[in-house]
């Protein structure tokens, strides 16, 4: 079971190559960051302390970014798994497709729980394309009604 101190050491170890040693390999950073987020999720889901992310935030240097909530942590971890699935070789070999599918399964499993599914579009309620008066064949404004009658 991970501890806050182990998570602090892992965060500092991941931050060091990127900040001080010039790690520019973004794919390697994605792999390391996803490993760190997995550790943080295990820390949050079986907490030895009441607010493990808060305790970790206080123990770390302010420049090291960690997710503020479990929801943010799950979103970042799911996105990390998706990026890792894109790094899997694109071949017909079974082990490559199995790896990609396993990473996507992990992404879906790690995402925060939600009642709805959005793809970035603005939600406008249950009747998304509905305008007042449209249900009875009337347009919402008189100009639109005139345009419809001229077209017929």
């Amino acid at each position: 079971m991970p501890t806050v101190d182990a998570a602090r050491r892992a965060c500092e170890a991941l931050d060091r190559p990127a900040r001080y040693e010039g790690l520019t390999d973004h794919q390697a950073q994605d792999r390391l960051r996803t490993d760190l987020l997995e550790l943080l999720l295990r820390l949050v889901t079986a907490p030895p302390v009441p607010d493990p992310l808060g305790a970790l935030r206080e123990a770390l240097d302010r420049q090291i970014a960690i997710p503020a909530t479990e929801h943010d942590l799950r979103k970042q971890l799911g996105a990390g798994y998706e990026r890792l699935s894109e790094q899997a070789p694109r071949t017909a070999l079974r082990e490559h497709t199995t790896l990609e599918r396993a990473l996507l399964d992990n992404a879906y499993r790690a995402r925060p729980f939600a009642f709805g599914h959005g793809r970035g579009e603005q939600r406008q309620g249950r009747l998304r394309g509905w305008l007042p008066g449209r249900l009875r064949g009337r347009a919402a404004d008189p100009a639109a009604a005139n345009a419809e009658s001229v077209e017929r």
Side-chain angles (χ1 to χ4, degrees):
M1 174 163 331
T3 64
V4 173
D5 188 51
R8 178 191 57 79
R9 287 192 313 266
C11 288
E12 290 170 348
L14 177 62
D15 185 61
R16 190 176 308 115
R19 186 181 304 179
Y20 300 113
E21 297 170 16
L23 176 64
T24 58
D25 182 358
H26 295 291
Q27 291 181 340
Q29 286 179 342
D30 282 342
R31 290 190 298 271
L32 292 170
R33 178 80 178 162
T34 302
D35 281 343
L36 175 68
L37 293 173
E38 285 176 344
L39 172 79
L40 294 180
L41 184 61
R42 286 198 318 263
L43 179 70
V44 167
T45 55
V49 294
D51 181 19
L53 291 177
L56 179 60
R57 204 173 301 104
E58 288 189 16
L60 284 173
D61 181 7
R62 298 283 180 218
Q63 294 179 352
I64 300 175
I66 62 164
T69 64
E70 181 180 353
H71 186 269
D72 293 340
L73 172 63
R74 287 180 175 277
K75 280 175 54 176
Q76 290 179 22
L77 183 57
Y81 279 130
E82 287 178 5
R83 285 190 303 274
L84 292 182
S85 74
E86 293 168 2
Q87 292 179 22
R90 303 283 182 193
T91 66
L93 293 176
R94 184 173 185 185
E95 55 266 11
H96 294 167
T97 56
T98 303
L99 173 63
E100 183 179 5
R101 287 181 184 155
L103 288 166
L104 288 175
D105 286 343
N106 285 349
Y108 298 139
R109 197 175 302 119
R111 286 183 180 156
F113 302 110
F115 293 108
H117 178 74
R119 292 191 171 110
E121 69 268 6
Q122 289 286 345
R123 292 191 49 94
Q124 299 173 358
R126 294 179 75 169
L127 301 173
R128 186 171 298 171
W130 180 78
L131 294 173
R134 184 181 274 179
L135 292 179
R136 293 189 204 108
R138 297 183 310 226
D141 60 338
N146 289 337
E148 281 184 25
S149 63
V150 172
E151 290 176 6
R152 290 183 194 171

